[in-house]
Amino acid sequence: MFDKILCVDDDPITLMLYKKVLTIANFSKEIDSANNGKQALTYFDNLKSEIVSNSNTVFPKIVFLDLNMPILSGWEFLDIFTQNGYSSVFPDTKVIVMSSTIDPKDIEKSKSYPMVIEFLSKPITKEMLRTLQLS
């Protein structure tokens, strides 16, 4: 069980499904959410500020990330997270891409980001969580 995870998706029903499945699977103590990549970056910016003043700040070890979102897509989030030092502040945070597309190019592209550990098709299920290799 993880202390905290973050789910990033622009669809409120998908976010509700994440919370339901993750809670039933006893996957995390706390489930935070963001509606797009920009909100997710703001979330991590706020955590960075907390870390400066409190070394016991709990941050998400897993981010479930949608790719196709308005304002800032999952790809843009990954680019900024990688290039702007977030990955050095949060080196233990790993990303699981959740997408409704199964385009082989997207799957290959996701492998180019060191923090991406999995590419899964929506919707999330309890069975999917059991098969994840999260070491």
Side-chain angles (χ1 to χ4, degrees):
M1 175 186 276
F2 293 96
D3 288 330
K4 184 185 284 195
I5 61 169
L6 175 65
C7 300
V8 186
D9 201 297
D10 61 315
D11 180 34
I13 293 171
T14 300
L15 287 174
M16 184 180 69
L17 180 62
Y18 277 127
K19 288 183 180 183
K20 187 122 181 131
V21 170
L22 294 166
T23 300
I24 290 169
N26 206 25
F27 194 78
S28 181
K29 294 177 187 173
E30 186 176 343
I31 303 164
D32 292 335
S33 62
N35 295 319
N36 57 60
K38 184 175 182 184
Q39 281 186 2
L41 289 173
T42 300
Y43 172 91
F44 280 103
D45 286 337
N46 292 337
L47 282 177
K48 276 200 274 190
S49 298
E50 283 182 38
I51 289 170
V52 170
S53 62
N54 179 6
S55 62
N56 294 325
T57 299
V58 178
F59 57 91
K61 300 287 183 178
I62 299 290
V63 176
F64 288 93
L65 179 68
D66 184 25
L67 294 178
N68 300 311
M69 298 178 287
I71 303 173
L72 197 71
S73 73
W75 294 125
E76 293 166 316
F77 168 83
L78 288 169
D79 287 339
I80 293 168
F81 197 88
T82 302
Q83 297 165 6
N84 292 3
Y86 291 88
S87 53
S88 62
V89 176
F90 304 101
D92 296 332
T93 297
K94 303 301 177 199
V95 174
I96 298 172
V97 173
M98 296 292 299
S99 182
S100 54
T101 69
I102 53 171
D103 184 342
K105 291 177 186 171
D106 286 342
I107 296 168
E108 277 306 306
K109 183 177 179 181
S110 73
K111 292 177 183 177
S112 70
Y113 295 93
M115 79 284 284
V116 175
I117 59 170
E118 195 74 58
F119 188 106
L120 300 173
S121 296
K122 289 181 183 180
I124 193 168
T125 65
K126 202 169 147 183
E127 291 72 29
M128 279 179 173
L129 296 174
R130 283 193 207 116
T131 64
L132 291 174
Q133 302 294 317
L134 301 172
S135 51

